[in-house]
Amino acid sequence: MAVLASENTIQKIELPKSWQGETRVLLSLGVPMALTQLIAFAVYTIDVLMIGRISPEDLAAASIGTVIYFALWMVGSGPVMAVSPLVSQALGANQNDTRDVRRSVRMALWAIFLMFPVVLLALALTEPVALALGQDPTVSSKAADYVLALAFGWPFALATMALRNFLAALEKTKIPLLLAAVTTLLNAGLNYLLIFGTFGFPRLELVGAGIASSLSYTTGFFLFVAYITLDKRAKTFDLFHRFWKSDWQRLREVVALGWPISLTTIFEGMLFNTAVIMMGLIGIMEVAAYQISINVVALAFMLPWGLSMAGAVRIGLAKGAENTAAIKRSASVTLVAATLSVVALALAIALFPMNVAAFYLEPDDPANAAVIELVLLFLPIAGIFMVFDAAQVAANQLLRGLKDVQWPMYLSGISYWLIGFPVALFLGLRTPLGAVGIWYGLTAGLIAASVFLGGRLWWMAWRTNR
């Protein structure tokens, strides 16, 4: 996008007029975004892989701690996700409107850091919350220590995502991919030093993993700040000049758009986190196996999520430019690309679960036998629901790009808590299926969400734009 002299000069963005053109643009934007999400999520995968080498008990503690940490991460995700539609629609209407973009990004960052003191207080209650949920006392204590170490990276992890969404709207995705890789490598190195106490560092085990993640999140944020201040296009928005200047009207707009997004994310994410609690009511081995299986699924999920985030940018630009044909093209291309991106992975996970399990636990260690046996049961089911997960996230992100956030919130609540949760609770705790039944409940919720959100997208992109 060309940089013009004045932000008062109105210039709508030019969009592809063919399906092939839209596909090329989506993939050029979406593949680096998907890889960035994959690499960024690898921080958690590295934690799981290394913690799994300590003991199944520590792995279970990390799983319980992560449930509580991510519950609060999801609360903060609303302002982060609001950046994409606000920025893309502003640029779609006028490529030169740097002031409007600056206001949105700044106030999203403000919202994140203003929430942090409350989040820190909530994370301090990890142990009593875990105990109240019926978790093992030793596991609960370890989870509390892990979460406290993770806590200080919380605002920086979310703020980095907000900056990535801003850069994506500018079609800047390659350098963010590189920065995400640097951050992940840093986390791996710090994990090695602090978990196992190598090269003279103290052996901190689970706490070391949390400290390593917090340090890598913080470093990653400042790397993104440095890049934005140096990039020729990004620096024209002056995001950090007089950053302390308040803009209460835009902050209210960010919050108004962000809170339904947060609640939608909580509806989905807390179902999967509640599954950890239900697994914990069955046994510690079930929690450890669930943590491994859901980590595999979440890694694969980064691909459709990244493509869907790119689709949200594309449909937002089209909406801002008031280009009806482009809205329909971007919606269709994103849905197909996101769904197809996981098909091969889903088949591999379903057909070769033992190969996957061996990445996380030593298969020859008798102490791991019970966990591996459960993983072999979980992964084939997970492979099936991955396809529906991709479809629902694509529809959800596209609706956000259109600033349609209220109805998706309601539909997500129905899908996950009136359908998915009761099925998981009944099959998991009231039938012989046990832990496998919980996975069937998760699948039911995702199927419902893909149908309901897909229908809402059809209404918004096709019925209202005929």
Side-chain angles (χ1 to χ4, degrees):
M1 290 183 282
V3 180
L4 300 184
S6 173
E7 62 185 42
N8 295 321
T9 304
I10 298 177
Q11 181 183 10
K12 287 188 177 182
I13 193 167
E14 293 186 11
L15 298 163
K17 296 181 173 60
S18 68
W19 293 95
Q20 295 90 338
E22 180 60 34
T23 302
R24 281 194 299 271
V25 174
L26 177 77
L27 293 178
S28 67
L29 183 64
V31 170
M33 289 184 73
L35 291 174
T36 300
Q37 290 298 121
L38 185 62
I39 290 172
F41 186 80
V43 170
Y44 308 108
T45 305
I46 290 169
D47 282 357
V48 171
L49 287 169
M50 293 191 176
I51 292 167
R53 295 301 190 263
I54 304 172
S55 73
E57 186 180 77
D58 284 271
L59 189 58
S63 181
I64 297 298
T66 302
V67 169
I68 297 170
Y69 179 84
F70 272 103
L72 293 163
W73 183 91
M74 288 182 282
V75 172
S77 68
V80 171
M81 297 303 177
V83 169
S84 185
L86 287 168
V87 171
S88 60
Q89 289 201 24
L91 293 176
N94 180 10
Q95 294 184 71
N96 305 309
D97 197 348
T98 57
R99 179 176 179 272
D100 190 271
V101 170
R102 179 169 58 249
R103 294 174 67 202
S104 296
V105 179
R106 278 185 180 176
M107 289 304 102
L109 295 175
W110 267 52
I112 292 165
F113 284 98
L114 286 173
M115 282 190 283
F116 180 56
V118 178
V119 167
L120 190 58
L121 287 173
L123 289 174
L125 300 173
T126 294
E127 185 172 1
V129 168
L131 290 171
L133 293 171
Q135 302 305 300
D136 179 82
T138 303
V139 169
S140 298
S141 177
K142 287 188 173 187
D145 294 338
Y146 175 58
V147 166
L148 188 60
L150 269 178
F152 294 96
W154 183 91
F156 297 103
L158 286 166
T160 300
M161 286 188 65
L163 296 180
R164 288 212 318 259
N165 287 344
F166 157 70
L167 291 167
L170 303 183
E171 298 182 5
K172 302 283 184 179
T173 56
K174 294 181 176 60
I175 297 300
L177 173 60
L178 176 62
L179 296 180
V182 169
T183 302
T184 302
L185 288 173
L186 175 64
N187 181 73
L190 290 172
N191 264 351
Y192 183 65
L193 295 175
L194 297 176
I195 292 176
F196 304 112
T198 54
F199 297 106
F201 282 81
R203 183 183 174 93
L204 301 177
E205 297 189 345
L206 201 55
V207 171
I211 293 172
S213 295
S214 284
L215 289 174
S216 63
Y217 291 145
T218 305
T219 302
F221 171 74
F222 286 107
L223 287 174
F224 271 84
V225 170
Y227 169 59
I228 288 169
T229 58
L230 295 173
D231 180 78
K232 183 178 179 181
R233 170 63 170 159
K235 70 181 181 181
T236 63
F237 292 85
D238 289 326
L239 292 187
F240 307 107
H241 179 63
R242 300 179 67 191
F243 183 78
W244 60 87
K245 184 179 179 182
S246 61
D247 185 346
W248 302 114
Q249 179 184 349
R250 182 52 57 93
L251 181 61
R252 285 192 293 270
E253 292 174 16
V254 168
V255 172
L257 185 62
W259 78 261
I261 296 176
S262 290
L263 199 51
T264 300
T265 306
I266 288 169
F267 281 147
E268 178 183 1
M270 285 309 295
L271 175 62
F272 292 95
N273 287 345
T274 301
V276 178
I277 306 301
M278 289 190 280
M279 293 286 181
L281 296 175
I282 299 173
I284 293 177
M285 296 300 107
E286 281 77 6
V287 175
Y290 178 80
Q291 176 69 8
I292 290 171
S293 304
I294 205 66
N295 185 261
V296 172
V297 170
L299 268 174
F301 178 74
M302 295 302 111
L303 296 174
W305 190 21
L307 289 169
S308 300
M309 290 172 69
V313 171
R314 297 300 303 161
I315 204 168
L317 291 170
K319 180 69 174 178
E322 300 177 331
N323 188 328
T324 299
I327 289 173
K328 296 175 182 178
R329 274 195 299 271
S330 60
S332 299
V333 170
T334 301
L335 280 169
V336 172
T339 305
L340 290 180
S341 70
V342 297
V343 171
L345 284 172
L347 284 172
I349 288 169
L351 294 175
F352 306 105
M354 187 63 202
N355 299 79
V356 177
F359 279 107
Y360 290 85
L361 296 170
E362 293 290 347
D364 297 327
D365 187 343
N368 297 329
V371 177
I372 290 176
E373 183 178 351
L374 288 164
V375 171
L376 298 184
L377 293 174
F378 293 168
L379 287 181
I381 306 169
I384 295 170
F385 88 54
M386 281 168 56
V387 178
F388 294 101
D389 203 8
Q392 70 82 22
V393 75
N396 211 343
Q397 290 288 339
L398 288 165
L399 289 167
R400 288 175 190 173
L402 296 171
K403 293 185 181 177
D404 181 42
V405 294
Q406 294 281 350
W407 269 104
M409 177 183 68
Y410 301 136
L411 296 173
S412 295
I414 292 168
S415 299
Y416 299 121
W417 289 97
L418 296 184
I419 297 174
F421 175 69
V423 173
L425 184 66
F426 176 75
L427 294 180
L429 302 182
R430 298 289 185 270
T431 75
L433 287 172
V436 172
I438 295 173
W439 280 93
Y440 287 140
L442 299 179
T443 305
L446 288 171
I447 292 172
S450 63
V451 172
F452 292 152
L453 294 171
R456 178 64 180 175
L457 178 63
W458 171 79
W459 179 267
M460 293 297 295
W462 278 268
R463 287 286 299 177
T464 60
N465 286 287
R466 288 189 298 179

